[in-house]
């Protein structure tokens, strides 16, 4: 479980330009496992690069790769916001 003092939010609350760190992965769905296999594991830092006009899907970059995910597909990711683009 995440630290009570971190700025932890669900993935769906991130906005374009936010930088975040994965602090927890909840659930064992095939999609959750697949995203972990692709590198979205605890401690991974990511940046929200683009958000579609209606807010979904979201393009993120991490570990030198870019990935588009739907917010509801990544609800099992708990992240800590570490920077916000002003």
């Amino acid at each position: 479980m995440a630290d009570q003092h971190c700025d932890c939010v669900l993935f769906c609350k991130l906005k374009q330009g936010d930088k975040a760190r994965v602090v927890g992965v909840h659930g064992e769905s095939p999609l959750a496992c697949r995203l972990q296999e692709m590198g979205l594991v605890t401690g991974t830092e990511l940046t929200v690069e683009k958000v579609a006009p209606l807010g979904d899907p979201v393009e993120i970059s991490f570990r030198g790769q870019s990935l588009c995910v739907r917010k509801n597909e990544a609800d099992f990711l708990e992240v800590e916001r570490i920077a916000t683009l002003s």
Side-chain angles (χ1 to χ4, degrees):
M1 197 60 159
D3 183 343
Q4 291 181 340
H5 302 290
C6 76
D7 185 17
C8 296
V9 295
L10 290 177
F11 179 84
C12 62
K13 301 294 183 188
L14 294 177
K15 297 179 178 157
Q16 187 169 345
D18 282 351
K19 293 181 186 248
R21 180 179 303 116
V22 177
V23 294
V25 181
H26 308 289
E28 297 182 9
S29 71
L31 183 59
C33 292
R34 180 66 182 136
L35 290 178
Q36 289 180 75
E37 290 170 353
M38 294 176 73
L40 276 175
V41 294
T42 302
T44 301
E45 293 186 7
L46 60 93
T47 302
V48 178
E49 299 291 347
K50 297 177 187 170
V51 178
L54 296 178
D56 201 30
V58 175
E59 180 183 342
I60 60 173
S61 63
F62 61 98
R63 298 183 184 205
Q65 60 184 331
S66 293
L67 181 68
C68 287
V69 294
R70 295 200 176 278
K71 288 183 175 180
N72 66 344
E73 293 174 342
D75 272 351
F76 53 83
L77 288 177
E78 185 176 17
V79 297
E80 174 185 18
R81 189 177 287 129
I82 54 177
T84 302
L85 182 66
S86 300

